[in-house]
Amino acid sequence: MMDWLNFLFGVEVAVGGLLSGVMYALVAIGFVLIYKTSGVLNFAQGAMVLFAALTFVSLIERGVPFWLAIVFTLAVMTMLGFAIERSVLRPLTNRSPMVLFMATLGLSYVIEGAAQLIWGTQVHRLDLGISNEPIDFGGIYVSQFDLAAAAIAAAMVAALTLFFRFTRTGLSFRAVADDTFAATAVGLRLNLIRSTVWTAAGFVALVAGLLWGARLGVQFSLSVVVLKALPVLVLGGFDSILGAIVAGLMIGASEKLAEVYLGPYVGGGIESWFAYAVALVVLLVRPSGLFGTKLVERY
């Protein structure tokens, strides 16, 4: 009987970790979209998540209907993504990766500073109308909010997959991701494609901002959620959406299991650093990640 209860407890921990991993993957997908087309590690993605959540919750607090607030926030994030690509990254085309990285790092502080000027620093409560009560699945208790968040994230991933696989713009995006020079040579409009991708990254930031804001509260520490996406990117590969999803699930489940089963032997707190230890091992063994494109260099 005790062995069965321990098994159910382990499954419950793993399921909770998997659902948390979906949230990590959600942020990581925003990174992947930008990196695949421009080779930029967009460190401003966390600030975009924060900006989206603050925009939405401020509208709700002023009595704007839920769906109208969603549409307006999406429009704001679209304009923000377009403005970033047009005013900052386009002039820096063909610069070194370090220059582009520093540009997005600076952007993150600019966006956070603008958010602070507009909305202040107070914490906002965000209620999406989703209960956090657990559901009993044969002795395994799973949060309703986690299930809903996983379903929303899965729907968003499916929508992005259909968009990039079956639309003209999506096919152009894949062409640019595979070979930028060849795509340009056949007449694809690189700047338009990158603007579209930044818009998609703004949409991802909106969904992630709402879900993370509902879980943690809308506060400036929300932008630090970007740090949870980095081990996911390292494990899955910086240019693979599938890798971001699989790695997010792996990181989420493994860190929860490690906290429960290994934490007592190392003094606890293992969940805060376990993912980074995994990422370090992956970097040493397979620098391109599990699903990332391997670079082939000739000397």
Side-chain angles (χ1 to χ4, degrees):
M1 182 66 178
M2 186 60 65
D3 289 340
W4 175 247
L5 291 176
N6 289 335
F7 172 76
L8 288 179
F9 176 70
V11 172
E12 185 175 316
V13 170
V15 170
L18 288 172
L19 296 176
S20 295
V22 172
M23 301 280 280
Y24 298 158
L26 198 56
V27 181
I29 288 171
F31 281 91
V32 172
L33 290 175
I34 303 301
Y35 188 85
K36 280 177 72 70
T37 53
S38 57
V40 178
L41 179 60
N42 177 30
F43 209 79
Q45 188 68 24
M48 292 173 67
V49 169
L50 169 67
F51 198 88
L54 282 171
T55 301
F56 177 82
V57 76
S58 66
L59 292 171
I60 293 296
E61 290 175 348
R62 286 167 173 77
V64 177
F66 182 89
W67 289 109
L68 185 58
I70 287 282
V71 172
F72 185 83
T73 305
L74 180 58
V76 169
M77 296 309 298
T78 297
M79 290 186 291
L80 178 62
F82 184 83
I84 290 173
E85 193 281 330
R86 187 66 179 266
S87 62
V88 178
L89 293 182
R90 188 176 299 185
L92 295 177
T93 301
N94 297 325
R95 297 294 184 92
S96 69
M98 181 55 69
V99 170
L100 296 171
F101 171 75
M102 292 303 297
T104 61
L105 181 61
L107 272 172
S108 68
Y109 286 104
V110 171
I111 294 172
E112 287 187 29
Q116 184 173 340
L117 286 174
I118 297 171
W119 294 292
T121 58
Q122 67 271 24
V123 178
H124 301 264
R125 181 177 178 272
L126 177 57
D127 183 9
L128 298 179
I130 304 173
S131 173
N132 200 32
E133 293 295 321
I135 300 177
D136 184 2
F137 291 97
I140 300 172
Y141 292 89
V142 182
S143 164
Q144 292 183 42
F145 180 86
D146 287 343
L147 286 173
I152 292 170
M156 190 206 67
V157 170
L160 287 174
T161 300
L162 292 173
F163 175 78
F164 288 120
R165 186 173 294 275
F166 297 109
T167 67
R168 183 180 180 86
T169 303
L171 293 174
S172 299
F173 164 80
R174 293 170 62 194
V176 171
D178 289 338
D179 193 326
T180 302
F181 294 106
T184 304
V186 298
L188 293 181
R189 299 173 63 183
L190 190 58
N191 289 332
L192 177 60
I193 294 169
R194 286 178 174 170
S195 296
T196 303
V197 170
W198 273 91
T199 299
F203 170 69
V204 173
L206 169 60
V207 177
L210 295 185
L211 294 179
W212 278 102
R215 170 178 279 185
L216 304 177
V218 180
Q219 53 190 311
F220 276 78
S221 62
L222 195 63
S223 62
V224 184
V225 72
V226 68
L227 298 179
K228 275 294 189 179
L230 295 181
V232 175
L233 291 168
V234 171
L235 179 59
F238 283 83
D239 58 354
S240 173
I241 293 178
L242 175 62
I245 298 169
V246 174
L249 296 175
M250 292 174 64
I251 290 292
S254 62
E255 70 176 13
K256 294 291 186 184
L257 291 170
E259 177 66 30
V260 171
Y261 293 107
L262 299 181
Y265 300 102
V266 297
I270 192 173
E271 187 176 352
S272 62
W273 56 263
F274 183 80
Y276 299 95
V278 172
L280 179 59
V281 172
V282 172
L283 279 175
L284 294 173
V285 177
R286 190 182 175 88
S288 60
L290 299 179
F291 295 86
T293 302
K294 291 184 178 181
L295 294 177
V296 179
E297 297 181 359
R298 293 182 175 86
Y299 297 93

